[in-house]
Amino acid sequence: MIGLVRFLYLLALGLWIGEIAVFSFLVAPAVFRTLGPTGAGDVVAAIFPGYYALGTVTAATAFGLGLVLRSTSSRPGWWTAAVVAITIGLAATLWAGTVVHSRARRLRAAMQAAGDDSPAAAEFRRLHGRAVALNGAALVAGLVGLGLSAAGLRH
């Protein structure tokens, strides 16, 4: 049974990290290169609800299964640290997906109506920067959690 928990934990963690990496380093840049800012913004805006939902589900799954692995380990310190890292990444994903994304979506519509030099555009760019930072934090937290998990699996 613990073997299945480990497999599902690593699958969830891998999907979460992979989703962030593929979207950030392959999909978004290609879409923006191909479609330009307006068209790409429409595509990315359509992707984001699923992106954040998948990130939340996989990170929450890794969190819960990490707690199970921590409770069954003879050396729970590595698992505690891994779960803390995952918690930080999950919080970043939730904040970006619920707070930042909803504000940015409203501002994007206002920016399109008012123009790129409007206060809405400036606020949109600020929120976009925050979303990128939160996405980066989630990726780093996931990678740290994975590294700590590898150490926990060795013991």
Coordinates of all heavy atoms in Angstrom, one line a residue, residues 16 79-91 137-138 140-146 148:
W16 N 2.6 18.5 -11.3 CA 2.6 19.9 -10.9 C 3.8 20.6 -11.4 O 3.7 21.6 -12.1 CB 2.5 19.9 -9.4 CG 2.4 21.3 -8.8 CD1 1.8 22.4 -9.3 CD2 3.0 21.7 -7.6 NE1 1.9 23.4 -8.4 CE2 2.7 23.0 -7.4 CE3 3.8 21.1 -6.6 CZ2 3.2 23.8 -6.3 CZ3 4.3 21.8 -5.5 CH2 3.9 23.1 -5.4
W79 N 10.4 14.4 5.2 CA 9.1 14.5 4.7 C 8.4 15.8 5.2 O 7.6 16.5 4.5 CB 8.2 13.3 5.1 CG 8.7 12.1 4.3 CD1 9.4 11.1 4.7 CD2 8.5 11.9 2.9 NE1 9.7 10.2 3.7 CE2 9.2 10.7 2.5 CE3 7.9 12.6 1.9 CZ2 9.2 10.2 1.2 CZ3 8.0 12.1 0.6 CH2 8.6 10.9 0.3
T80 N 8.7 16.2 6.5 CA 8.2 17.4 7.0 C 8.7 18.6 6.2 O 7.9 19.5 5.8 CB 8.6 17.6 8.5 OG1 8.1 16.5 9.2 CG2 8.1 18.9 9.1
A81 N 9.9 18.6 5.9 CA 10.5 19.7 5.1 C 9.9 19.7 3.7 O 9.6 20.8 3.1 CB 12.0 19.5 5.0
A82 N 9.7 18.5 3.1 CA 9.1 18.4 1.7 C 7.7 19.0 1.8 O 7.3 19.7 0.9 CB 9.1 17.0 1.2
V83 N 6.9 18.6 2.8 CA 5.5 19.1 2.9 C 5.5 20.6 3.1 O 4.6 21.3 2.6 CB 4.8 18.3 4.0 CG1 3.5 19.0 4.4 CG2 4.6 16.8 3.6
V84 N 6.4 21.1 3.9 CA 6.5 22.6 4.0 C 6.7 23.3 2.7 O 6.1 24.2 2.3 CB 7.5 23.0 5.1 CG1 7.8 24.5 5.1 CG2 7.1 22.5 6.5
A85 N 7.7 22.7 1.9 CA 8.0 23.3 0.6 C 6.7 23.2 -0.3 O 6.4 24.2 -1.0 CB 9.1 22.6 0.0
I86 N 6.1 22.1 -0.3 CA 4.9 21.9 -1.1 C 3.8 22.9 -0.7 O 3.1 23.5 -1.5 CB 4.4 20.5 -1.1 CG1 5.4 19.6 -1.8 CG2 3.0 20.3 -1.7 CD1 5.3 18.1 -1.6
T87 N 3.6 23.1 0.6 CA 2.7 24.0 1.2 C 2.9 25.4 0.6 O 2.0 26.1 0.3 CB 2.7 24.0 2.7 OG1 2.4 22.7 3.2 CG2 1.7 25.0 3.3
I88 N 4.2 25.8 0.6 CA 4.5 27.2 0.1 C 4.1 27.3 -1.4 O 3.5 28.2 -1.8 CB 6.0 27.5 0.3 CG1 6.3 27.6 1.8 CG2 6.4 28.7 -0.5 CD1 7.7 27.6 2.2
G89 N 4.4 26.2 -2.2 CA 4.1 26.2 -3.6 C 2.6 26.2 -3.8 O 2.1 26.9 -4.7
L90 N 1.9 25.4 -3.0 CA 0.4 25.4 -3.1 C -0.2 26.7 -2.8 O -1.1 27.2 -3.5 CB -0.1 24.3 -2.2 CG -1.6 24.2 -2.1 CD1 -2.3 23.9 -3.4 CD2 -2.0 23.0 -1.1
A91 N 0.3 27.4 -1.8 CA -0.2 28.7 -1.4 C 0.1 29.7 -2.5 O -0.8 30.5 -2.9 CB 0.5 29.2 -0.1
A137 N 7.8 30.9 -7.8 CA 7.9 30.4 -6.4 C 7.3 29.0 -6.3 O 7.8 28.2 -5.6 CB 7.1 31.4 -5.4
A138 N 6.2 28.8 -7.0 CA 5.6 27.5 -7.0 C 6.5 26.4 -7.6 O 6.7 25.3 -7.1 CB 4.2 27.5 -7.7
V140 N 9.9 26.6 -7.9 CA 11.0 26.4 -7.0 C 10.6 25.5 -5.8 O 11.3 24.6 -5.4 CB 11.6 27.7 -6.5 CG1 12.6 27.5 -5.4 CG2 12.3 28.4 -7.7
A141 N 9.4 25.8 -5.2 CA 8.9 25.1 -4.1 C 8.7 23.6 -4.4 O 9.0 22.7 -3.7 CB 7.6 25.7 -3.5
G142 N 8.1 23.4 -5.6 CA 7.9 22.0 -6.1 C 9.2 21.3 -6.3 O 9.4 20.1 -5.9
L143 N 10.2 22.0 -6.8 CA 11.5 21.3 -7.0 C 12.2 21.0 -5.7 O 12.8 20.0 -5.5 CB 12.4 22.2 -7.9 CG 11.9 22.3 -9.4 CD1 12.7 23.4 -10.1 CD2 12.1 20.9 -10.1
V144 N 12.1 22.0 -4.8 CA 12.7 21.7 -3.5 C 12.0 20.6 -2.8 O 12.6 19.7 -2.2 CB 12.6 23.0 -2.6 CG1 12.9 22.7 -1.1 CG2 13.6 24.1 -3.2
G145 N 10.6 20.6 -2.9 CA 9.9 19.4 -2.3 C 10.3 18.1 -2.9 O 10.4 17.1 -2.2
L146 N 10.5 18.1 -4.2 CA 11.0 16.9 -4.9 C 12.3 16.4 -4.4 O 12.6 15.3 -4.1 CB 11.0 17.1 -6.4 CG 11.4 15.9 -7.3 CD1 10.5 14.7 -7.1 CD2 11.5 16.3 -8.8
L148 N 13.8 17.1 -1.5 CA 13.6 16.7 -0.1 C 12.9 15.3 -0.1 O 13.3 14.5 0.7 CB 12.8 17.7 0.7 CG 13.6 19.0 0.9 CD1 12.6 20.1 1.4 CD2 14.7 18.8 1.9

